[in-house]
Amino acid sequence: MTMQMPQTIHCPYCGEAIYILVDTSIEHQSYIEDCHVCCQPITLTVDADEYGEWQIGVQSEDDV
């Protein structure tokens, strides 16, 4: 069963808060999502730690 968890991140380009849905059925994932405000590509890295807490990494194209 796919579980989606809403999260708030900040765009590394414009700094605006944007809302994403994290698919919690996948423990380790990396994907690109465009900012809803400035349309720049954001690289998201999502990992579950050993306690089941979700860590979300946010990077610009220049940081990757």
Side-chain angles (χ1 to χ4, degrees):
M1 175 177 16
T2 301
M3 299 287 293
Q4 293 186 340
M5 176 178 63
Q7 292 290 305
T8 302
I9 61 168
H10 291 276
C11 175
Y13 299 97
C14 68
E16 288 291 324
I18 59 173
Y19 300 96
I20 61 169
L21 290 175
V22 174
D23 181 353
T24 59
S25 68
I26 305 169
E27 286 187 18
H28 307 288
Q29 50 191 306
S30 180
Y31 59 95
I32 296 173
E33 186 163 326
D34 290 341
C35 174
H36 304 262
V37 178
C38 70
C39 300
Q40 295 293 320
I42 303 168
T43 300
L44 300 166
T45 306
V46 182
D47 291 297
D49 65 17
E50 63 269 15
Y51 305 108
E53 298 291 322
W54 291 91
Q55 307 298 318
I56 302 172
V58 178
Q59 295 179 310
S60 68
E61 248 184 359
D62 297 332
D63 295 335
V64 173

